[in-house]
């Protein structure tokens, strides 16, 4: 089975160094965990989402494995823990974040462990779509039918600003 895995880091590690080096080390670790790397994107720098103030290093890899989605998630969380435990609130700084974006089996959902494929926020995140489009641009989102390249192009379009309704004139709000 093929999986599209997102890698992210925005915190230095005492052994591996800066976030870009952490992603390289994480790819090596993934290759030793019953998985073969079938492709990797370039590493990009992105602005943080949420409370973190530090920029992220992000990349995407195509991994080949016989593991089922829940087994792979357990393996990924174990590798994250090897690089350092997450502390604090959601979306705060972290040494390593590994997410399953998509897999060759289509849509998937489980309650234990909590896992939804495709990743629910994937379509909104340019820091995931841009590197994913480099190596898996022709993969189709099983929910929308769009390719990763199409999702990336749509995500890059300038967002239209919501126009505010004009304020009512004084005589329109006063009652007789």
């Amino acid at each position: 089975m093929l999986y599209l895995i997102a890698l992210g880091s925005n915190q230095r590690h005492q052994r591996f160094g800066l976030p870009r080096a952490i992603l390289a080390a994480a790819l090596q670790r993934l290759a030793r965990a019953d998985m073969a790397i079938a492709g990797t994107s370039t590493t990009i720098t992105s602005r943080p989402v949420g409370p973190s103030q530090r920029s992220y290093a992000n990349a995407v890899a195509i991994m080949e494995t016989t593991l089922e989605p829940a087994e792979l998630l357990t393996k990924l969380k174990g590798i994250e823990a090897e690089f350092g435990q997450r502390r604090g609130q959601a979306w705060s700084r972290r040494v390593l974040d590994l997410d399953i974006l998509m897999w060759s089996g289509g849509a998937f959902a489980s309650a234990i462990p909590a896992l939804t494929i495709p990743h629910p926020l994937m379509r909104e995140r340019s820091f995931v779509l841009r590197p994913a489009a480099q190596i898996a641009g022709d993969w189709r989102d099983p929910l929308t039918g769009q390719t990763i390249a199409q999702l990336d192009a749509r995500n890059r379009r300038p967002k239209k600003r919501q126009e505010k309704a004009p304020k009512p004139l004084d005589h329109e709000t006063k009652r007789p």
Side-chain angles (χ1 to χ4, degrees), residues 2-109:
L2 294 175
Y3 289 88
L4 196 59
I5 307 294
L7 300 92
S9 175
N10 75 337
Q11 183 177 344
R12 184 179 181 82
H13 187 275
Q14 63 187 32
R15 179 174 167 207
F16 301 113
L18 296 173
R20 286 179 178 268
I22 292 165
L23 296 191
L27 284 168
Q28 290 176 353
R29 177 62 183 91
L30 287 167
R32 294 191 317 267
D34 301 326
M35 293 179 259
I37 298 173
T40 58
S41 71
T42 59
T43 300
I44 65 166
T45 301
S46 66
R47 295 168 56 122
V49 174
S52 181
Q53 301 297 310
R54 300 170 184 232
S55 293
Y56 272 84
N58 295 99
V60 172
I62 298 173
M63 307 300 297
E64 187 171 0
T65 181
T66 58
L67 296 173
E68 292 295 323
E71 295 172 308
L72 178 59
L73 179 64
T74 300
K75 178 87 63 177
L76 295 178
K77 295 307 165 196
I79 292 170
E80 283 180 357
E82 290 174 21
F83 279 74
Q85 295 293 332
R86 286 187 189 172
R87 290 188 176 85
Q89 63 196 111
W91 296 336
S92 62
R93 64 189 180 143
R94 60 196 61 180
V95 174
L96 181 62
D97 186 30
L98 300 170
D99 289 321
I100 301 172
L101 300 175
M102 296 176 72
W103 76 311
S104 57
F108 178 87

